[in-house]
Amino acid sequence: MADNVVRLPKGINIGVDYYPEHWDEALWVKDADMMRDAGVKLVRMGEFAWCRFEPEEGRFDFEWLDRAVRLFAERDIYVVLCTPTNTPPQWLFEKYPEIVQVDKWGRRIQTGIRGHRCLNSPVYRELSEKIIAYMAERYKDERYVVGYQIDNELESNHCRCDVCKSRFREWIEKKYGTVEEINKAYGNNVWSGEYSDFSQVMPPMNDNEKWLNPSLNLDFNRYASDSTCDYVKFQSDIIRKISPDKFITTNTWLCANMPDFYDMFENLDIVSFDNYPAHVLPEDDETLYSHAFHLDLMRGVKNKNFWIMEQLSGMIGSWGPMSRAIQPGMMEGYSLQAIAHGADAVIHFRWRTAVSGAEMYWQGIIDHSNVPGRRYKEFCELCSKVREIQELDGTVCRNRIAILYSSDNEYAFKNQHQAEEMHYFEQMKQWHDAFICLGLGVDIISQKEKLNGYRIIVAPTMFVENKETVSNIYDAAAKGATVILTNRSGERDYNNKCIMKQLPVAYSELTGIKVSEYEALPDGMQVLLKFSEETDIRSECALKSGLFGKRWCDIIEENDKVEVLARYDEQFYKGAPAVTRNKYGNGEVYYFGTMLNRDGSIDFARQMAVSQGLDIIEGLEKGVEVTYRYGDKTWRFIFNNTQKEQKAIVDEEEIVLKPFEMNITSLH
Ligand code: GLA
Ligand code: ZN
């Protein structure tokens, strides 16, 4: 890790994604002047420009990029360069057709799009290495080039070419050693699945994933992530060797085939995220919406401040119908929200909307007309606002509540849907929302993290067993933390097989309960619950809307060790415990057999926070978020993430916030 060597630009900075190769060079100067005047401090360039950098094999042309870099440097604007490997040029595909990805049906993907190259192809790696090394060498002494973005929005490499198939088999063979071992680990005695040779191991092909052994699927997902991380390391090694003082990142997002974030960023200097919050927010009370969830997840990847590499700047469209316009206030509010959650740079996608190509309706700050309009004005206002908060430089977020995330759990849950519309992220979001609503900050961290210092640990849907995690959670509870565990925990072993023990298996001692039966609920079905008479929970929210469960019901056995906090009030399990609390060591462990309605979860969250001595804020409206950054001073952020004016009473002061307005105060 080059953590102490790399130089990050000072301050909290606003930037733009710029594509000089899309515009006439005469326009570059005007653009750069306008950016300087607005207050832009960072420009990201180059991620799709391979055909301009290397018009034919071995002939590099970076002079135009030199000119663009100079143009920005002269205006004191720093540059993030991208390796252009996401889009190899047409000549390269033509000359080496084997670098095109093969899809699940065994077909080579049509060229002309992006991201469709096989990350494992030896010739692609060789040509990538040459251009990356050339680029790194060329700019190693250019002090305005501050860092590199590797490729663009890397997904787990799901290519099925022969190279990738044999890579997968090597990965499997290395992991299991013998076919007997893998047969045992996967339980291949079902459906005559036993391998007699590793050559029979196939990645999931066609659309048959749901019919394949879930153990194989989970391993393929792990392999695919490892393979993408290996590619990231391959690129970062090249850059770091030549240019050790520049930071290296890759821009990530939440997509269908996400690599394991913690592995992917392990050797990179900072996390960067492509941030596209919703244009239209749900109006009803029950729907969970908190974009802060994404930001907290990203900050938690390295447990430090991060960057936004692409930030929403206009309506989105192109491959789908166009969205509503971004509403007044969103440009500024969403950028400041990212900063409130630990972003030190917010780079907006993109300076000007493309006039050609598949993305011509994904708006940038400036429209097709090239007449600066409302969004440009709001962008300039954002830049001036950020100029006023430069003292935030060096401050960090620090929270006492952690939610655990695991890419294994996410995949396994997706591979075998447990109940209609029951998604892995939902219970994480539910608890995130409940604590945010009480004015408390939350870290979302890897399930492998040591949990020292956290007062409340939310471990939702701990589906696939990870022994290290289990022992960390037991430890944290023993030392006095409050732990939340939920339904579907303890279900699978590390190989994604069910376990012949009563749920929640590995968590039975911790929770003090046993589940005798369970029921998956169809979407829309609710089961009434009632608080137990003996509970000390202040059930004010839930009294407004009632207390009910959805998605899933674990029927918990009665025992005299644990306290029952709520019971089912209907169905054949009427009267059975639904929510329990156990004392474990110095801590308390809550178990939620069902997913509570929003008001219900807030009641429980309040109880936990109060008993852990955390300072809660009562009466915040849904969508009003209070967060802090700490340094020499404490900075308080109050954000109105709603479309209505809101009033918030914080520290005995009434603050009125327009839609998407952010109030920033330094406290002391
Ligand atoms: C992603 C990509 C960008 C662009 C935007 C908008 O974030 O990284 O290149 O495609 O989406 O579509
Ligand atoms: Zn491949």
Side-chain angles (χ1 to χ4, degrees):
M1 266 296 300
D3 242 358
N4 21 6
V5 190
V6 295
R7 197 167 36 86
L8 288 171
K10 288 211 174 325
I12 306 294
N13 294 307
I14 299 296
V16 294
D17 297 306
Y18 191 58
Y19 298 89
E21 71 276 21
H22 293 186
W23 317 111
D24 193 287
E25 219 171 304
L27 199 51
W28 298 3
V29 184
K30 286 190 198 147
D31 285 340
D33 282 344
M34 272 174 82
M35 288 180 206
R36 177 202 51 212
D37 296 346
V40 164
K41 291 285 175 214
L42 288 164
V43 163
R44 180 197 72 170
M45 296 189 287
E47 76 275 26
F48 302 124
W50 193 338
C51 80
R52 290 289 178 96
F53 291 143
E54 192 178 0
E56 59 185 86
E57 188 170 350
R59 180 166 72 79
F60 294 113
D61 176 7
F62 277 78
E63 277 167 25
W64 64 270
L65 186 66
D66 296 348
R67 291 196 294 280
V69 170
R70 278 327 304 158
L71 206 64
F72 293 118
E74 280 156 18
R75 286 159 184 77
D76 208 23
I77 295 173
Y78 289 101
V79 171
V80 177
L81 289 182
C82 308
T83 65
T85 45
N86 194 272
T87 47
Q90 297 282 354
W91 61 257
L92 201 152
F93 285 122
E94 186 187 44
K95 204 161 166 187
Y96 308 103
E98 69 273 30
I99 76 153
V100 187
Q101 262 180 26
V102 172
D103 68 13
K104 286 179 167 182
W105 288 265
R107 305 169 306 204
R108 294 243 175 232
I109 292 172
Q110 185 186 349
T111 56
I113 56 166
R114 64 178 185 180
H116 53 313
R117 68 293 180 242
C118 166
L119 302 185
N120 290 319
S121 148
V123 58
Y124 169 70
R125 288 234 179 169
E126 194 185 314
L127 289 160
S128 298
E129 178 162 3
K130 284 189 181 143
I131 193 165
I132 296 166
Y134 186 92
M135 199 174 193
E137 193 60 51
R138 191 169 185 104
Y139 297 102
K140 69 173 190 227
D141 297 322
E142 172 53 76
R143 90 179 177 86
Y144 275 90
V145 171
V146 285
Y148 283 92
Q149 170 189 306
I150 290 176
D151 204 277
N152 191 70
E153 291 191 340
L154 282 159
E155 295 191 34
S156 273
N157 177 18
H158 282 191
C159 177
R160 267 55 167 196
C161 76
D162 289 343
V163 175
C164 289
K165 277 188 197 150
S166 55
R167 283 285 179 100
F168 178 47
R169 290 185 190 121
E170 284 159 24
W171 187 95
I172 289 282
E173 197 166 344
K174 188 161 165 232
K175 180 167 175 184
Y176 296 100
T178 63
V179 283
E180 289 73 28
E181 271 307 306
I182 190 174
N183 286 334
K184 194 163 87 193
Y186 284 12
N188 275 340
N189 45 341
V190 172
W191 287 1
S192 281
E194 287 171 341
Y195 302 119
S196 52
D197 192 282
F198 280 114
S199 60
Q200 296 151 5
V201 178
M202 281 289 286
M205 300 290 283
N206 314 312
D207 260 340
N208 62 9
E209 206 159 311
K210 305 242 177 217
W211 288 96
L212 290 170
N213 189 335
S215 302
L216 172 79
N217 289 338
L218 178 59
D219 259 356
F220 184 71
N221 193 61
R222 289 170 175 154
Y223 150 78
S225 173
D226 283 359
S227 152
T228 302
C229 296
D230 175 72
Y231 181 71
V232 168
K233 184 165 182 318
F234 152 77
Q235 289 216 11
S236 61
D237 284 351
I238 303 168
I239 302 169
R240 195 160 284 138
K241 201 164 140 213
I242 301 170
S243 207
D245 63 338
K246 303 198 193 294
F247 76 77
I248 309 175
T249 185
T250 185
N251 58 334
T252 198
W253 60 319
L254 272 69
C255 64
N257 302 314
M258 282 182 291
D260 182 297
F261 297 126
Y262 311 98
D263 290 348
M264 184 162 76
F265 284 100
E266 197 179 335
N267 287 304
L268 302 182
D269 300 296
I270 49 168
V271 168
S272 63
F273 176 55
D274 293 348
N275 192 29
Y276 293 100
H279 288 64
V280 180
L281 304 177
E283 299 268 342
D284 68 301
D285 282 344
E286 193 55 27
T287 306
L288 296 172
Y289 172 79
S290 166
H291 187 70
F293 179 85
H294 299 238
L295 303 166
D296 290 339
L297 176 65
M298 286 300 129
R299 189 188 59 254
V301 173
K302 286 186 96 61
N303 273 323
K304 62 180 200 182
N305 291 6
F306 61 104
W307 279 31
I308 300 296
M309 210 45 110
E310 296 181 15
Q311 170 79 17
L312 178 77
S313 301
M315 67 163 133
I316 60 170
S318 281
W319 40 82
M322 283 184 249
S323 69
R324 292 199 64 193
I326 63 166
Q327 304 296 300
M330 274 186 179
M331 172 92 77
E332 181 173 311
Y334 278 142
S335 294
L336 295 175
Q337 182 195 29
I339 293 170
H341 287 266
D344 282 343
V346 184
I347 304 183
H348 286 248
F349 186 86
R350 46 190 279 167
W351 176 247
R352 185 183 297 101
T353 316
V355 291
S356 62
E359 287 202 328
M360 55 172 82
Y361 293 115
W362 196 289
Q363 282 184 331
I365 296 167
I366 307 213
D367 288 322
H368 291 146
S369 65
N370 202 25
V371 178
R374 172 182 70 93
R375 297 194 309 286
Y376 175 71
K377 193 168 157 274
E378 289 190 25
F379 178 74
C380 294
E381 284 162 12
L382 164 71
C383 293
S384 9
K385 178 105 187 191
V386 170
R387 257 198 303 275
E388 292 162 17
I389 52 170
Q390 289 306 308
E391 265 188 89
L392 276 173
D393 194 16
T395 59
V396 295
C397 302
R398 223 173 24 222
N399 297 306
R400 313 306 301 276
I401 303 172
I403 299 181
L404 306 187
Y405 165 80
S406 140
S407 120
D408 273 1
N409 288 344
E410 189 198 343
Y411 175 78
F413 221 65
K414 192 159 62 187
N415 180 224
Q416 286 185 306
H417 244 104
Q418 299 294 289
E420 260 177 40
E421 296 305 315
M422 184 181 191
H423 302 291
Y424 170 68
F425 277 119
E426 199 177 17
Q427 298 195 73
M428 293 175 71
K429 286 188 175 168
Q430 173 192 30
W431 291 106
H432 183 269
D433 167 85
F435 288 112
I436 293 277
C437 178
L438 296 164
L440 295 166
V442 179
D443 290 346
I444 302 171
I445 58 172
S446 163
Q447 66 159 2
K448 294 180 193 152
E449 210 53 56
K450 294 267 175 252
L451 302 168
N452 304 337
Y454 287 111
R455 302 313 311 153
I456 300 179
I457 293 148
V458 191
T461 325
M462 302 306 281
F463 196 60
V464 177
E465 185 174 8
N466 181 304
K467 291 209 157 53
E468 200 183 325
T469 307
V470 173
S471 107
N472 289 344
I473 297 176
Y474 271 82
D475 263 14
K479 289 186 190 136
T482 299
V483 172
I484 298 181
L485 277 159
T486 71
N487 48 81
R488 310 319 288 137
S489 293
E491 171 74 5
R492 302 284 170 86
D493 67 11
Y494 185 71
N495 297 313
N496 210 9
K497 293 200 303 288
C498 287
I499 301 170
M500 210 191 281
K501 283 194 186 136
Q502 254 185 310
L503 286 167
V505 190
Y507 298 102
S508 299
E509 194 191 330
L510 188 67
T511 55
I513 58 141
K514 290 204 165 103
V515 175
S516 58
E517 195 181 344
Y518 53 65
E519 163 162 67
L521 304 182
D523 188 30
M525 180 172 167
Q526 297 176 351
V527 172
L528 283 179
L529 301 177
K530 76 172 183 218
F531 283 102
S532 311
E533 273 139 33
E534 67 269 32
T535 179
D536 52 356
I537 313 283
R538 246 171 63 201
S539 55
E540 43 191 80
C541 286
L543 285 183
K544 276 192 294 177
S545 53
L547 182 68
F548 55 88
K550 54 188 177 180
R551 307 279 186 238
W552 191 268
C553 292
D554 275 340
I555 305 165
I556 299 171
E557 281 178 12
E558 203 68 60
N559 74 41
D560 48 16
K561 273 194 356 242
V562 296
E563 268 174 277
V564 175
L565 303 179
R567 294 176 186 277
Y568 297 108
D569 204 25
E570 59 176 330
Q571 305 301 323
F572 70 90
Y573 33 94
K574 182 173 175 160
V579 181
T580 59
R581 179 168 56 194
N582 190 32
K583 294 240 177 294
Y584 186 86
N586 293 323
E588 287 188 327
V589 182
Y590 286 73
Y591 185 85
F592 293 86
T594 183
M595 181 175 158
L596 297 184
N597 54 323
R598 187 167 178 268
D599 281 348
S601 55
I602 295 168
D603 283 339
F604 283 95
R606 179 192 297 104
Q607 161 69 30
M608 296 173 206
V610 168
S611 77
Q612 281 289 356
L614 305 181
D615 283 335
I616 61 171
I617 304 172
E618 288 285 6
L620 288 177
E621 290 296 334
K622 185 182 180 196
V624 176
E625 301 169 356
V626 184
T627 35
Y628 300 87
R629 282 179 66 149
Y630 303 93
D632 293 339
K633 288 182 189 163
T634 297
W635 292 76
R636 189 191 64 197
F637 299 81
I638 310 175
F639 180 47
N640 175 8
N641 196 6
T642 77
Q643 276 140 185
K644 302 184 285 224
E645 183 176 290
Q646 300 282 6
K647 273 193 199 123
I649 301 176
V650 184
D651 301 327
E652 289 166 20
E653 187 193 344
E654 182 178 285
I655 294 155
V656 180
L657 299 152
K658 293 201 283 285
F660 304 100
E661 188 179 344
M662 171 71 88
N663 171 289
I664 306 178
T665 317
S666 73
L667 296 179
H668 43 78

